[in-house]
Amino acid sequence: MSSSDILDPHRGPGAAPVVLDIETGLQELIARGYQFVHPANEHGEVLAVVGVRVHDDVVDVVRLNAEDDVVALRVPGTEENVLEPEKWLWRTKGEAAEVLAEVLALPDRQEPEGSQAKGCWVPGRGGTSKWLAAR
């Protein structure tokens, strides 16, 4: 298999996807509407790669701190700080390939809880924030 293959074609229908490499997993997240920010410290050093997708009434977040330190979560659209939420609907952490596979296996629809999200603010460089609009 080449590194451009995202899912293992030998897995049966309904099986959870298996991400074969991180780059391809990230490309698939981008194809699904994730927007990425790169929070940095005061010296401009990137602290993490953070992907955010706002849809329906939820926000999906993937934070890559290192290849073996990735956190993904789904939070209600009403959550004010998606990087440090008070509440989450789903959460996983671990190795990048495993976490990306779990994120890609998540259904788009979440049971309604509160009002519809129209977007969220994500902290950016130098104390600024960036608005990510819902699709």
Side-chain angles (χ1 to χ4, degrees):
M1 295 189 155
S2 73
S3 63
S4 63
D5 295 330
I6 180 83
L7 305 176
D8 183 346
H10 302 292
R11 296 180 61 84
V18 176
V19 174
L20 301 177
D21 66 70
I22 297 167
E23 180 182 346
T24 307
L26 291 172
Q27 290 172 349
E28 181 64 22
L29 290 179
I30 291 168
R32 292 185 184 194
Y34 280 77
Q35 296 181 36
F36 284 85
V37 293
H38 308 91
N41 64 17
E42 61 277 357
H43 304 291
E45 299 166 338
V46 174
L47 301 172
V49 174
V50 181
V52 179
R53 181 174 74 137
V54 181
H55 61 102
D56 300 319
D57 60 347
V58 297
V59 180
D60 292 334
V61 180
V62 178
R63 181 182 175 110
L64 294 97
N65 300 308
E67 216 172 301
D68 62 347
D69 181 12
V70 179
V71 177
L73 39 99
R74 175 170 281 177
V75 300
T78 55
E79 191 63 42
E80 290 198 25
N81 185 348
V82 297
L83 297 181
E84 294 182 25
E86 292 182 19
K87 179 181 180 184
W88 61 81
L89 305 168
W90 174 86
R91 183 176 192 266
T92 190
K93 63 181 182 174
E95 301 271 335
E98 295 169 4
V99 171
L100 293 175
E102 289 184 55
V103 170
L104 293 170
L106 274 177
D108 277 344
R109 304 292 293 165
Q110 181 74 31
E111 292 300 315
E113 245 189 71
S115 65
Q116 183 103 354
K118 293 184 175 81
C120 67
W121 288 99
V122 177
R125 295 176 191 230
T128 62
S129 295
K130 179 178 180 179
W131 177 256
L132 297 179
R135 292 184 182 232

